[in-house]
Amino acid sequence: MSLQIESLSVAFGQGPQSLLAVQDLSLGLEPGQTLGVVGESGCGKSTLALAIMGLLPAAARVTGGRVRFDGQTLIDGNQRYPSHLRGRRLAMVFQDPMTSLNPYLSIEAQFRLPLRRHLKLSRSQARARTIELLRTVGIPDPEERLGRHAHEFSGGQRQRLGIALALCCDPELLIADEPTTALDVTIQAGILSLLRDLQQQRRLGLLLITHDLGVVAQMCQEVMVMYAGRCVERASAEALFAQPQHPYTKALLAAVPRLDSEPGSALANIPGQPPRITSPSHSCPFAPRCRFAEERCQQQLPQLLPCGPGHQAACLLLPQAGPAQAPGDAP
Ligand SMILES: Nc1ncnc2c1ncn2[C@@H]1O[C@H](COP(=O)(O)OP(=O)(O)O)[C@@H](O)[C@H]1O
Ligand SMILES: [Mg+2]
């Protein structure tokens, strides 16, 4: 399995007021790799995830780019999405667990559907596998609770059911959208260690969307920082924490509460809000909130350029980002 995304763009709505939620975004993910996707609320993380899964809401459309999975095309122009792969080879944990759980079916029935369809298990095999999965994600008395419905579980348990359902057919790629945000710390640690085991033992490729930089530090080898629908920095987790390059990444890191900060002291916050982008940008989208911004930041859209080994950032103030090279200039 490998995931290749090339210049993906997604917009909500039609015409000049359409919202450019994901813009010109590229990434690659290899088996056994965990890529963290971070950024404030509204920067396009969930839209990216839904696009890869072929599950964009009706208001959204892919306006450009390609996505390939293990040599097969997922997205390219008007090509039909290969939905038979979904739930089998690629799966998703949704930010809101009720998106993946059906309120009208018992838990057993919901797990039985994919297990029978994709893995061709018998009823009793499906039942046994469901019990094992529920136990793995920490649902107490799984045998007793197979006949229950989603609303009979707590919020945190529903989240764990969503995770178990995503994992039920042993996917090769898992996209997890804020999978542990609603969970308390002990349960969160359990889920993260389960995902880490799958990543290491089964070579699961994991695209982990989170706003929790602590989770990124524990889980991810690589990190992509998104702002206003674009990737603004990409690096190994180690390099990103040690030497963040983009002012937005620096601000995100500074906004993390520290163990040694004064109890009750306010969190550092990034003033202002991410913009709503409705037309192609000719300036840095972060400039209005950037405390280092200069005049040129208002006049040119920064490109994602190398700024160290395996490290890229999109900021005009970085040394590599001099005047754009003309096409024939490349060495
Ligand atoms: N169903 C929708 N209709 C219209 N706009 C949407 C819809 N879902 C998301 N958006 C907009 O798309 C942008 C990206 O949202 P989203 O992908 O949910 O961001 P994130 O997951 O990073 O918080 C936001 O500006 C959001 O308001
Ligand atoms: Mg989201």
Side-chain angles (χ1 to χ4, degrees), residues 91-256:
M92 176 159 173
V93 177
F94 292 85
Q95 190 165 8
D96 169 7
M98 283 314 274
T99 310
S100 44
L101 299 173
N102 184 324
Y104 303 116
L105 291 180
S106 70
I107 296 307
E108 181 172 8
Q110 293 189 55
F111 279 74
R112 190 191 301 138
L113 285 171
L115 288 172
R116 296 198 72 166
R117 182 197 301 154
H118 295 306
L119 300 189
K120 313 287 180 225
L121 299 190
S122 70
R123 250 182 123 86
S124 61
Q125 287 170 325
R127 186 187 167 88
R129 171 131 176 101
T130 306
I131 292 172
E132 178 198 314
L133 282 159
L134 298 194
R135 190 165 288 130
T136 309
V137 296
I139 302 280
D141 307 321
E143 291 90 345
E144 309 298 310
R145 306 188 78 185
L146 281 180
R148 304 277 182 91
H149 291 71
H151 72 268
E152 297 176 81
F153 292 82
S154 70
Q157 288 178 337
R158 287 202 283 256
Q159 187 67 337
R160 284 181 270 158
L161 288 170
I163 293 167
L165 192 58
L167 294 175
C168 81
C169 294
D170 241 333
E172 295 153 61
L173 169 68
L174 181 70
I175 300 178
D177 192 356
E178 308 274 5
T180 58
T181 306
L183 305 179
D184 65 46
V185 193
T186 343
I187 302 292
Q188 168 169 323
I191 299 286
L192 293 179
S193 95
L194 166 68
L195 291 176
R196 227 178 354 245
D197 288 349
L198 290 168
Q199 177 239 326
Q200 285 163 5
Q201 290 158 18
R202 306 257 171 96
R203 312 273 299 144
L204 176 74
L206 180 60
L207 192 73
L208 182 61
I209 297 173
T210 176
H211 61 253
D212 186 335
L213 291 163
V215 170
V216 172
Q218 284 178 56
M219 296 289 295
C220 303
Q221 292 94 53
E222 289 283 317
V223 192
M224 177 173 94
V225 181
M226 276 182 84
Y227 188 74
R230 294 178 177 278
C231 173
V232 296
E233 185 158 0
R234 168 88 201 244
S236 69
E238 208 175 330
L240 193 95
F241 285 107
Q243 289 171 316
Q245 296 293 313
H246 197 286
Y248 180 60
T249 312
K250 291 180 185 172
L252 279 182
L253 290 173
V256 177

Side-chain angles (χ1 to χ4, degrees), residues 7 11 73 75 98 220:
S7 296
T73 299
I75 298 173
M98 283 314 274
C220 303

Side-chain angles (χ1 to χ4, degrees), residues 12-13 19-22 39-48 57 59-60 95 177-178 209 226 275-276:
F12 281 97
L19 175 81
L20 309 180
V22 173
E40 286 164 292
S41 181
C43 65
K45 307 182 299 291
S46 295
T47 304
L48 170 67
Q95 190 165 8
D177 192 356
E178 308 274 5
I209 297 173
M226 276 182 84
R276 251 184 83 86

